Each structure stands twice: as C-alpha cells, then as structure tokens.
Amino acid sequence: MINKLSALLNAANISLSDQQKHQLVGYVEMLHKWNKAYNLTSVRDPEQMLVRHILDSIVVEPHLQGSRFIDVGTGPGLPGIPLAIVRPDAHFTLLDSLGKRVRFLRQVQHELKLENITPVQSRVEDFPSDPPFDGVISRAFASLNDMLSWCHHLPANNGAFYALKGVLPEDEIAALPAGFSVSKSVRLVVPQLEGERHLVIIQAD
C-alpha cells in the first residue's frame, strides 16, 4: 500500500514525509476495516480508496488559503482527514450529522494521533461559527446554492467556500445567489482517476 501510494504521489508531484504516508495508509486501513460494519463508503477496495479518497482529497491542498477549515458533511472524513495529514499546521473541524461517522472519526483521531482535527456531530445550519473559518470545504455535499445557504455563517469576512465537484457545474455557477461569486475554478488532476474533477472557490462579494 505504501508503494502504491508513493507511486500515486509521484505521479501527482506531491511530496510527503514517510510519517504522512503511513498515516494516510493507516487511515485507509481503518476505513476498510470499519466499512464492513458501518458502511462508510461505497468504495470497497483499499487500493481504489488510495485513488478515489486519498489522492482525490489532497490534490486540493495547494489551493487552500488560511489555517482554520471546516469540512461540512465530512462523512468518514473526506476530504478533511487526508488534508489534515498533509497540512499538519492547519486545523480542520470535521462536521457530520451521523453519530456512527463521528465515532469513526474520533477513533481515527485517536489511533493516528491527529492533533489538528476536531470531529463534531451537528447539522451544519445549527453549528456556531465562533471564531469563523478561513475556509468551508465540501465534497459531494450539496449543490453550490444549498452549500451557500446552509453554510453562509461559517467563513470569516475574507474566507472562502471550497466545493469539490466532478464535472464543472456550469448551471450551479450560473444560479449562485446574489452576494456570492466564483473567485476561481480549478481543474484537478488525479492520477488513475476516471472522470473530471474540479474545485470551485466561492467568496462573498
């Protein structure tokens, strides 16, 4: 698994320490083990998890600005846990409304000794933003419109929304609510992943 991960990282021009690689593989192993009972992801094969969960998450890291992030609808910790591993100097709040997912996240936090994550069980609209966040991240969480309406209270004044999408959602971008605009959209390259990946960065006007 370490060799497979190293090859994927090389293909993506991402350089990580041995400790970070071991943490990422440890996370995949936990995800695979817990998935049997908890049904955390539809991806069953650990090698596919490396591509579709790990690489797919960490290619976003160079585009994140700031040090305090919240991953809304994190599920089993995606993209928050891989991002927390590759950016240890930033802090990630991992928010999900399902107790079983948050229990899994706490176990990951404990076993991998991740000091820079805070798993929280809450609905996003009920979660107080104090202090506000530099970035609000979501992956396969909701439409852009829903994301902004549910999470509008979370970012700081100069904070941003980071939406991880497949194909660029032109119709969702065209329908953004007043007061928000796309500051950047980036086509992400994920080695060995079929289909498109985009990051849409949105800020308040």
Side-chain angles (χ1 to χ4, degrees), residues 79-100:
I81 283 177
L83 287 172
I85 289 170
V86 300
R87 192 183 275 207
D89 55 340
H91 188 274
F92 293 82
T93 297
L94 309 179
L95 193 74
D96 203 275
S97 58
L98 265 192
K100 68 176 184 179

Side-chain angles (χ1 to χ4, degrees), residues 124-126 141-143 145-154:
V124 62
E125 52 269 49
D126 301 333
F141 169 62
S143 70
N145 213 322
D146 284 346
M147 180 187 181
L148 295 172
S149 101
W150 294 334
C151 308
H152 63 87
H153 61 295
L154 295 174

Side-chain angles (χ1 to χ4, degrees), residues 122-172:
S122 171
R123 289 162 52 90
V124 62
E125 52 269 49
D126 301 333
F127 185 68
S129 175
D130 187 26
F133 294 91
D134 299 321
V136 179
I137 304 170
S138 85
R139 177 181 189 256
F141 169 62
S143 70
L144 296 177
N145 213 322
D146 284 346
M147 180 187 181
L148 295 172
S149 101
W150 294 334
C151 308
H152 63 87
H153 61 295
L154 295 174
N157 287 337
N158 57 349
F161 296 89
Y162 298 90
L164 283 69
K165 294 287 189 176
V167 176
L168 191 66
E170 309 268 7
D171 52 339
E172 293 182 22

Side-chain angles (χ1 to χ4, degrees), residues 20-31:
Q20 287 170 313
K21 291 178 190 176
H22 282 288
Q23 284 179 313
L24 289 169
V25 167
Y27 170 58
V28 166
E29 287 169 349
M30 289 186 70
L31 194 51

